[in-house]
Amino acid sequence: MENLIKDRAWIEINLSNLEHNINEVKKLLKGSTKIMAVVKANAYGHGSVLIANKLMELGITDFAVATLEEGVELRKNNISGNILILGYTSPEDLKYVIEYDLIQTIVDFDYAEKIKTLDLAKPIKCHVKINTGMNRIGERFDHFDKLLAIYQNPALNILGTFSHLCAADSKEEDDIQFTYAQINNFNTSISYLKSKEINPGKLHLQASYGTLNYEAGPYDYVRIGILMYGVHSLNSVYRKRNLDLKQVLSVKAKVTSVRKISEGETVGYSRTFKAPSNMVIAALSIGYADGFFRSLSGKDMLVKINGSYHKVIGRICMDQMIVDVSNLENIKEGDIVTLIGKEAEISAPTIAEKAGTTSYELLSRLGSRLKRIIVNDK
Ligand SMILES: *Cc1c(COP(=O)(O)O)cnc(C)c1O
């Protein structure tokens, strides 16, 4: 099957760009702060094992995933170093966290108490999550008695303490004030623990936009996802400092069929596109099951074929889509099409904006049918 990899649609991963972006992020770091590389959701669609392998080669020793299974997959593929599970793991599965030497997030006081009742082989390695205002997971920063009980829980081997900022990518004054309050709240809980002679372990608060837009700590880690992949959430996202980022991923497919249609003919399901004149159109071997949301239909999404940009027309199908190539000479079956690339017209944030979402969602939902291929050209 090896020779079929580029038969239909695939993802190219530029590992030189990953290295470049890591070096850019490092310019933001102070003192001994390290990068914890966030490779959840298959490394935002890039392929977690291949990304983590390259990161290990670059000297990264700390990783974060969302789920137990994501952590186990890394271990089964010989990824070493610390692997923090950022999300919830069912108490009955915590034995696997120990077996695979992962680190679990303690989501709140009740979860920690539940762990105390389990008969685990040894105290579970964990980082405690503090809720500083996002109100998703974490024990509240000012529930001092509950925090104290968590750190005194003998079933836990607490190696770190962290929180998460929820509006660090906003330029609204209200959000900026809120973010500073979150930073203060985190520091308040840490000071409290230290006043009780408790060691909170490694500290971390900022993800990509917290690192780019806020001076805090410095703490032991910054948790970096999106910036490492070389894209912004949106083209217009708030950034106080600019990095020279290079998009790591491109998505490619093929032209499968070229045809002429006459003025008035319609294209695709539900006949949503009607030819305003005689046209040349082409079918492509990629669709919404590969991650190009059906809601991108009719949104002037562009693709690049033989050096120029062409509009997607009609409804995007599960496995195919159709483009207007009337002004493209010499297009033929087998030509390679770029759907996500480094160019502004087809960059991840540009396409995400057309779909009414962010690069995070677009990338993390790229389908499992797409093979991930390593390229190293600059
Ligand atoms: C996903 C996630 C990150 C990474 O966020 P980026 O904005 O991609 O850097 C960091 N921390 C937590 C808790 C996350 O869920």
Side-chain angles (χ1 to χ4, degrees):
M1 286 296 278
E2 198 63 20
N3 56 348
L4 286 186
I5 282 174
K6 289 192 176 183
D7 198 45
R8 179 181 168 267
W10 63 95
I11 288 174
E12 292 182 358
I13 299 294
N14 187 321
L15 293 177
S16 317
N17 287 357
L18 181 69
E19 178 169 7
H20 170 90
N21 298 333
I22 288 284
N23 288 331
E24 282 297 293
V25 171
K26 281 184 182 165
K27 292 180 186 167
L28 300 173
L29 306 185
K30 292 231 175 85
S32 57
T33 302
K34 289 167 73 180
I35 293 174
M36 182 186 291
V38 181
V39 294
K40 63 189 179 188
N42 202 22
Y44 295 35
H46 292 64
S48 60
V49 172
L50 79 89
I51 292 291
N53 263 315
K54 177 68 183 182
L55 291 170
M56 270 178 35
E57 196 186 304
L58 297 175
I60 300 282
T61 56
D62 299 87
F63 300 93
V65 294
T67 70
L68 170 61
E69 283 194 309
E70 290 176 353
V72 170
E73 193 196 354
L74 293 183
R75 282 289 188 245
K76 284 187 169 165
N77 287 278
N78 301 318
I79 302 303
S80 55
N82 298 313
I83 302 178
L84 173 63
I85 301 170
L86 295 168
Y88 171 85
T89 301
S90 297
E92 57 267 33
D93 291 334
L94 288 172
K95 55 182 181 286
Y96 301 115
V97 172
I98 294 173
E99 184 181 333
Y100 287 93
D101 192 25
L102 305 171
I103 305 172
Q104 177 58 43
T105 292
I106 300 303
V107 302
D108 58 22
F109 168 78
D110 291 342
Y111 186 67
E113 288 299 294
K114 182 80 192 276
I115 294 173
K116 210 195 290 185
T117 69
L118 303 174
D119 194 21
L120 291 171
K122 54 181 175 181
I124 189 152
K125 284 188 182 175
C126 57
H127 284 201
V128 176
K129 184 86 180 265
I130 308 283
N131 174 21
T132 54
M134 182 168 186
N135 292 322
R136 183 172 61 176
I137 55 173
E139 188 50 57
R140 235 187 101 102
F141 73 97
D142 57 357
H143 282 174
F144 297 127
D145 292 346
K146 286 185 171 175
L147 286 177
L148 201 54
I150 292 173
Y151 287 81
Q152 290 170 342
N153 185 331
L156 308 182
N157 175 11
I158 298 176
L159 304 174
T161 301
F162 74 111
S163 186
H164 194 42
L165 303 173
C166 55
D169 61 350
S170 164
K171 55 178 159 295
E172 299 297 322
E173 189 50 35
D174 185 47
D175 289 328
I176 291 171
Q177 290 314 315
F178 183 86
T179 303
Y180 280 118
Q182 279 196 282
I183 296 169
N184 274 332
N185 293 344
F186 185 60
N187 292 336
T188 297
S189 57
I190 300 304
S191 301
Y192 171 76
L193 292 168
K194 287 185 173 165
S195 78
K196 295 290 170 188
E197 304 206 330
I198 284 166
N199 176 4
K202 304 285 188 193
L203 304 179
H204 44 112
L205 173 64
Q206 297 137 292
S208 288
Y209 289 105
T211 306
L212 199 57
N213 296 333
Y214 290 87
E215 302 268 347
Y219 304 114
D220 296 293
Y221 297 113
V222 290
R223 300 183 306 271
I224 302 294
I226 200 84
L227 292 181
M228 180 168 82
Y229 304 108
V231 300
H232 280 292
S233 163
L234 298 168
N235 288 313
S236 61
V237 71
Y238 174 53
R239 38 191 189 262
K240 219 168 156 181
R241 296 181 275 189
N242 259 310
L243 295 181
D244 171 34
L245 299 177
K246 296 187 175 171
Q247 190 169 294
V248 171
L249 169 149
S250 340
V251 178
K252 300 197 174 169
K254 281 187 170 172
V255 171
T256 59
S257 177
V258 182
R259 72 194 60 246
K260 292 186 173 130
I261 59 169
S262 306
E263 178 183 345
E265 282 194 73
T266 61
V267 175
Y269 284 124
S270 306
R271 309 174 63 222
T272 58
F273 181 86
K274 190 172 186 181
S277 56
N278 294 345
M279 297 175 75
V280 183
I281 63 173
L284 310 183
S285 53
I286 192 163
Y288 61 74
D290 302 297
F292 291 88
F293 309 113
R294 188 170 175 276
S295 60
L296 274 165
S297 307
K299 298 284 166 61
D300 296 343
M301 176 186 159
L302 298 175
V303 302
K304 189 175 181 186
I305 311 174
N306 300 341
S308 54
Y309 299 96
H310 304 277
K311 203 181 280 184
V312 174
I313 56 173
R315 286 266 164 84
I316 294 174
C317 315
M318 190 181 291
D319 321 299
Q320 308 184 61
M321 62 177 81
I322 299 158
V323 290
D324 174 6
V325 289
S326 301
N327 55 357
L328 182 59
E329 278 168 29
N330 296 328
I331 181 174
K332 58 185 186 314
E333 174 246 311
D335 283 352
I336 291 178
V337 182
T338 307
L339 291 101
I340 300 180
K342 60 182 187 303
E343 302 86 351
E345 292 87 344
I346 54 170
S347 70
T350 298
I351 295 167
E353 281 171 23
K354 288 181 179 179
T357 183
T358 60
S359 300
Y360 291 94
E361 188 182 7
L362 178 70
L363 295 175
S364 67
R365 290 174 63 151
L366 290 171
S368 55
R369 281 200 304 216
L370 304 173
K371 298 291 177 295
R372 276 75 178 163
I373 301 172
I374 296 173
V375 295
N376 271 309
D377 49 316
K378 299 270 171 184

